[in-house]
Amino acid sequence: MIDDIKELGLDGVGGVYLLWHGGLKPSWLVAGATEDLGHSFAELMRDPDIREYDGRGGVFMSWSPIKGNFREGVVHFIAKHTNPTFECDYDESEDPIPVLLPR
């Protein structure tokens, strides 16, 4: 993961994110929506459960600035199509909004 999340310039930027790890058995880790991607990434970098995967081929992140009223639907779609290791927090009453997933 990036050592200094500030370099990304995401403080105060709202959007959706997806983390995954590489290695022999790569997997999706978690998806979420946030009002502040910079803050959320800094918190995720400190999470011991996420850090555990850093030694298994690295942890990677993808994000997109998404308008607030669409975020829950995007995370719903991502969670349904990636089956992440960690539970994703989103409003299940929101209809999934299709997006292209990272490759």
Side-chain angles (χ1 to χ4, degrees):
M1 287 202 289
I2 295 173
D3 291 328
D4 187 3
I5 214 70
K6 297 255 183 230
E7 292 176 22
L8 297 174
L10 295 173
D11 289 342
V13 176
V16 172
Y17 61 86
L18 177 62
L19 272 64
W20 68 95
H21 79 92
L24 294 175
K25 294 183 179 181
S27 68
W28 303 106
L29 295 176
V30 67
T34 180
E35 293 288 325
D36 188 335
L37 288 164
H39 174 76
S40 293
F41 283 158
E43 290 294 310
L44 287 163
M45 286 179 56
R46 287 190 287 273
D47 185 309
D49 292 330
I50 299 292
R51 295 299 301 197
E52 178 183 323
Y53 287 89
D54 208 18
R56 299 183 187 179
V59 174
F60 303 92
M61 54 184 108
S62 182
W63 65 91
S64 182
I66 303 279
K67 289 185 178 186
N69 54 325
F70 298 111
R71 291 179 193 150
E72 295 296 319
V74 170
V75 174
H76 188 169
F77 177 85
I78 292 170
K80 287 185 86 159
H81 287 83
T82 60
N83 192 25
T85 301
F86 300 104
E87 185 175 339
C88 300
D89 185 25
Y90 62 90
D91 184 352
E92 291 186 32
S93 70
E94 291 289 328
D95 289 332
I97 298 174
V99 295
L100 295 174
L101 298 172
R103 294 179 177 236

